[in-house]
Amino acid sequence: MADQDASEPPGPAAAMELRNFLSEVPAPAAVGHRIVHGGPHLTGHTLIDTRVRALLADVADLAPLHVTPALPVVDAARELLPDVPHVACFDTVFHKDLPAQARTYAVPERWRAEYGLRRYGFHGLSYSWALQRAAQALGRPVDDLQVVLVHLGGGSSACAVRNGRSVDTTMGLTPLEGLVMSKRSGSLDPGALLWLQRRHGLSTDELDDTLHRHSGLLGLSGTSGDTRDLVRARAEGDAAASLALATFTLSCRRGIASMAASLDRLDALVFTGEIGEDQPEVREEICSALTVLGIRGGLLVPELEDLMREGLRRIDQAGRGVPVLVVATGETQQIAAETRRVLGM
């Protein structure tokens, strides 16, 4: 009915912005909140009460770019709408039944049992939406599909889905692991971090800030974390932009191939996320070098306006290999669906 978007993370003015928005729209019957990390105790989408709010605060340090700024918005919304149910919708829920071998890190039992070190996986709301839409496009039931889903955006990850369930994913304990991202490093040799601390005296805070905010495509290019900027810069001969894109697309291919290793077959490759839906050059460079998986290049390029209106497009050349689909990002719609489901609407 109405929306209001902000390009920056929520800040001190979030409560006022929300108040102004609510004054212009019909009174809501419920509020759904996207929460990236549910931690070990919140394994289903749920109503937010005092206990849940405390548990959210406890896991905020596992996704500091996401959960930490989300909590003041949760508090502001609950204060402004005290008589309306508020539902936390978690990106980790989609991966809650990861097989033991996929969720377990090869570290001592104490770290796993006492500290809770394990893989959680993220982008679950996006994957839930993309999976349902892909099944519709392919004319197949979800529980008969084996697909690799790839969410490419500010954060990027890949996920293997077997018969409707996530069985592997590239992100881990936190959303920092896995593919190269816009400003996040993705996976890095843990020995490199120890070496940086011991040899060069980098503090934990310095490592945290650099790996989350100054790495990835931005760190590689030195100019931008936006693939659109980098594609233009590469065309103008910018070597750093060219390296950034080559590193990013190789990282994506590695991620897709590793996810395919958890499947018996590959029924489709599905792109979503801002880059996934709006960067044909990236899709082409990923797919044209994945012939080992039966994926081919020469992809069709739908108009973004058409994709956003229709919600999905099949973009492979029919009959030439594994189907390749693009699904318009649907996290907001999935939050609405999960909120209604929790409330029995």
Side-chain angles (χ1 to χ4, degrees):
M1 298 180 73
D3 61 36
Q4 180 175 314
D5 298 307
S7 58
E8 296 299 320
M16 183 59 70
E17 292 170 357
L18 185 56
R19 185 188 300 276
N20 291 340
F21 175 67
L22 290 171
S23 70
E24 300 169 357
V25 299
V31 181
H33 298 266
R34 181 197 179 197
I35 307 293
V36 165
H37 211 310
H41 303 297
L42 297 169
T43 58
H45 309 301
T46 186
L47 279 167
I48 301 174
D49 56 18
T50 302
R51 171 184 166 274
V52 169
R53 177 61 179 82
L55 290 171
L56 293 177
D58 191 52
V59 300
D61 60 345
L62 291 174
L65 293 185
H66 303 90
V67 178
T68 301
L71 293 183
V73 181
V74 170
D75 294 339
R78 293 178 74 203
E79 183 177 337
L80 290 168
L81 298 165
D83 300 320
V84 169
H86 293 255
V87 174
C89 301
F90 299 101
D91 274 299
T92 44
V93 167
F94 187 73
H95 309 285
K96 67 183 177 65
D97 294 321
L98 278 175
Q101 66 270 25
R103 69 172 183 265
T104 303
Y105 287 115
V107 295
E109 196 270 343
R110 180 186 175 191
W111 287 17
R112 290 179 276 120
E114 195 172 319
Y115 303 152
L117 200 63
R118 54 155 291 182
R119 174 171 280 106
Y120 282 95
F122 302 94
H123 290 135
L125 294 164
S126 176
Y127 287 145
S128 294
W129 179 262
L131 177 62
Q132 296 290 335
R133 300 289 283 161
Q136 293 171 15
L138 295 169
R140 305 255 308 263
V142 166
D143 59 9
D144 186 42
L145 279 180
Q146 297 198 34
V147 298
V148 172
L149 307 174
V150 189
H151 179 107
L152 302 179
S156 297
S157 72
C159 172
V161 174
R162 178 200 294 267
N163 304 334
R165 300 177 70 175
S166 171
V167 294
D168 204 357
T169 188
T170 55
M171 282 182 167
L173 175 74
T174 76
L176 188 58
E177 187 180 0
L179 311 185
V180 171
M181 306 178 218
S182 178
K183 298 179 182 178
R184 280 174 262 168
S185 64
S187 292
L188 190 66
D189 177 0
L193 303 181
L194 298 174
W195 178 76
L196 287 168
Q197 288 182 309
R198 291 171 176 161
R199 184 70 176 267
H200 296 284
L202 270 64
S203 68
T204 303
D205 287 344
E206 287 177 293
L207 291 173
D208 186 299
D209 183 58
T210 301
L211 295 176
H212 278 101
R213 296 178 176 84
H214 306 287
S215 297
L217 289 168
L218 176 61
L220 286 164
S221 68
T223 55
S224 176
D226 190 321
T227 54
R228 293 168 296 186
D229 296 336
L230 298 177
V231 166
R232 287 191 291 267
R234 180 178 63 181
E236 295 168 0
D238 186 324
S242 180
L243 175 62
L245 287 168
T247 304
F248 177 71
T249 54
L250 174 59
S251 171
C252 293
R253 294 196 299 273
R254 285 172 171 165
I256 292 165
S258 68
M259 293 301 100
S262 289
L263 302 175
D264 300 321
R265 63 179 190 273
L266 185 57
D267 294 328
L269 174 63
V270 182
F271 288 98
T272 191
E274 291 176 343
I275 297 172
E277 68 189 26
D278 188 26
Q279 198 70 69
E281 297 89 349
V282 169
R283 295 194 301 261
E284 182 65 32
E285 287 171 37
I286 291 170
C287 291
S288 62
L290 277 176
T291 54
V292 69
L293 296 180
I295 297 168
R296 300 287 186 270
L299 302 175
L300 306 175
V301 182
E303 291 292 334
L304 183 60
E305 188 175 301
D306 294 338
L307 173 63
M308 300 308 289
R309 182 180 63 254
E310 297 170 16
L312 60 91
R313 276 291 182 91
R314 182 168 171 173
I315 58 172
D316 61 289
Q317 301 281 354
R320 289 191 57 201
V322 171
V324 180
L325 289 81
V326 180
V327 176
T329 311
E331 288 162 317
T332 302
Q333 297 96 314
Q334 193 64 33
I335 290 168
E338 300 296 356
T339 298
R340 291 188 178 99
R341 191 172 291 117
V342 167
L343 298 174
M345 292 183 174

